[in-house]
Amino acid sequence: MSLITLNNLNMSYEGKRVISNLSLEIEEGDYLCIVGENGTGKTTLLKGLLGLKKIDSGSIVTKDGTSLEKIGYLPQQTPVQKDFPASVREVVISGTISGSVFKPFYSKKDKKKAIEAMKKLEIDHLSKKSFQDLSGGQKQRVLLARAICASQKVLVLDEPVNGLDSIAAQEMYEIIDKLNKDGITIIMISHDIKRVIKNSKHILHLGQQKTMFSGKSSEYKLAAENGGFWERNI
């Protein structure tokens, strides 16, 4: 069953059309990877899915009217995030705050969510540590745990292994795979095409103002092996 449906979606970035007439169905439990060169609208599309950026035309329809605010989001790390002055527990539990909701304190349910998310990502032993003092891989696990607190159903990840060493990146991919196997829908931007072909179920390849490919990862791989125009990325 479709969880999110895009109908003839058009979006722009800084006045330039980057997404044109995109139609796509994202199924429950899907693992969709969005690839393409820089400037093709990948992050713009994610922000549209999250309700953080207005669309020019078309529509984004969610199953049963599910709020886009309830999608867990792991953006690309910024210097501010890397030096966030808070404990691991504080960062993770802040994911329970959605939209403009103000919480003077966290409920028992919120605290339970944070504990479960930290255990799932094997960082519960770091709960009292300062986020600033963690390694790059540990920080990404914390931010992913924060995203899980926002949603147990859908995670949107923008280059989740960017800046990580090969071991930390491998561990992050394994965690994402496990989350998907546990039933969480994954929508992820990545430049690591070899890896995403191996792990994902579907691939959306964006080009300049048009969709270059949308379909199963196995079909994408086959097209590349048969001399598809994107073979240079494989």
Side-chain angles (χ1 to χ4, degrees):
M1 182 179 291
S2 295
L3 186 67
I4 303 173
T5 302
L6 312 183
N7 297 305
N8 297 316
L9 191 69
N10 291 287
M11 297 187 70
S12 299
Y13 177 72
E14 294 185 348
K16 178 184 176 183
R17 177 65 55 82
V18 290
I19 302 291
S20 295
N21 301 315
L22 175 62
S23 293
L24 178 70
E25 290 191 358
I26 302 171
E27 306 291 326
E28 287 189 79
D30 207 345
Y31 188 158
L32 170 69
C33 280
I34 304 170
V35 301
E37 297 177 358
N38 291 334
T40 54
K42 300 185 299 296
T43 297
T44 297
L45 175 59
L46 287 196
K47 290 183 177 181
L49 290 173
L50 293 161
L52 299 176
K53 186 171 179 58
K54 290 183 178 180
I55 63 177
D56 296 337
S57 61
S59 64
I60 301 175
V61 181
T62 59
K63 177 188 173 186
D64 301 327
T66 301
S67 173
L68 295 175
E69 290 181 347
K70 294 182 179 179
I71 296 176
Y73 179 38
L74 175 60
Q76 291 191 48
Q77 279 201 50
T78 64
V80 173
Q81 288 174 315
K82 291 179 181 178
D83 296 326
F84 201 67
S87 71
V88 166
R89 178 185 176 279
E90 289 170 331
V91 173
V92 173
I93 200 170
S94 69
T96 62
I97 302 173
S98 63
S100 58
V101 176
F102 172 72
K103 290 186 177 182
F105 57 87
Y106 294 106
S107 67
K108 288 183 178 179
K109 184 178 179 181
D110 295 333
K111 294 174 183 177
K112 184 180 178 181
K113 272 186 180 181
I115 291 171
E116 289 176 348
M118 287 189 288
K119 286 182 177 179
K120 186 173 288 188
L121 271 70
E122 299 179 357
I123 54 171
D124 47 309
H125 64 291
L126 300 174
S127 64
K128 295 182 180 180
K129 283 210 169 246
S130 171
F131 182 77
Q132 298 178 89
D133 296 335
L134 303 181
S135 68
Q138 288 173 332
K139 286 179 179 178
Q140 280 298 78
R141 288 193 186 210
V142 172
L143 294 174
L144 184 55
R146 182 182 186 277
I148 290 172
C149 279
S151 175
Q152 297 287 323
K153 183 177 287 188
V154 188
L155 292 178
V156 170
L157 316 174
D158 192 349
E159 295 284 1
V161 304
N162 190 35
L164 302 184
D165 61 44
S166 59
I167 294 175
Q170 170 70 18
E171 291 175 347
M172 180 59 66
Y173 278 129
E174 289 174 356
I175 289 169
I176 294 168
D177 291 345
K178 187 177 185 303
L179 292 173
N180 180 244
K181 287 181 172 67
D182 289 342
I184 296 180
T185 301
I186 303 293
I187 304 170
M188 180 174 76
I189 289 177
S190 177
H191 283 96
D192 189 354
I193 296 183
K194 286 185 179 179
R195 183 69 195 226
V196 301
I197 285 178
K198 178 181 177 182
N199 297 334
S200 65
K201 297 174 183 175
H202 292 90
I203 287 181
L204 172 65
H205 187 135
L206 297 176
Q208 295 295 334
Q209 299 185 39
K210 64 179 179 180
T211 301
M212 312 299 279
F213 179 91
S214 179
K216 293 181 179 180
S217 300
S218 58
E219 295 171 348
Y220 185 88
K221 181 180 180 181
L222 181 61
E225 291 173 344
N226 289 333
F229 65 90
W230 48 80
E231 62 181 331
R232 63 185 181 278
N233 295 313
I234 303 301

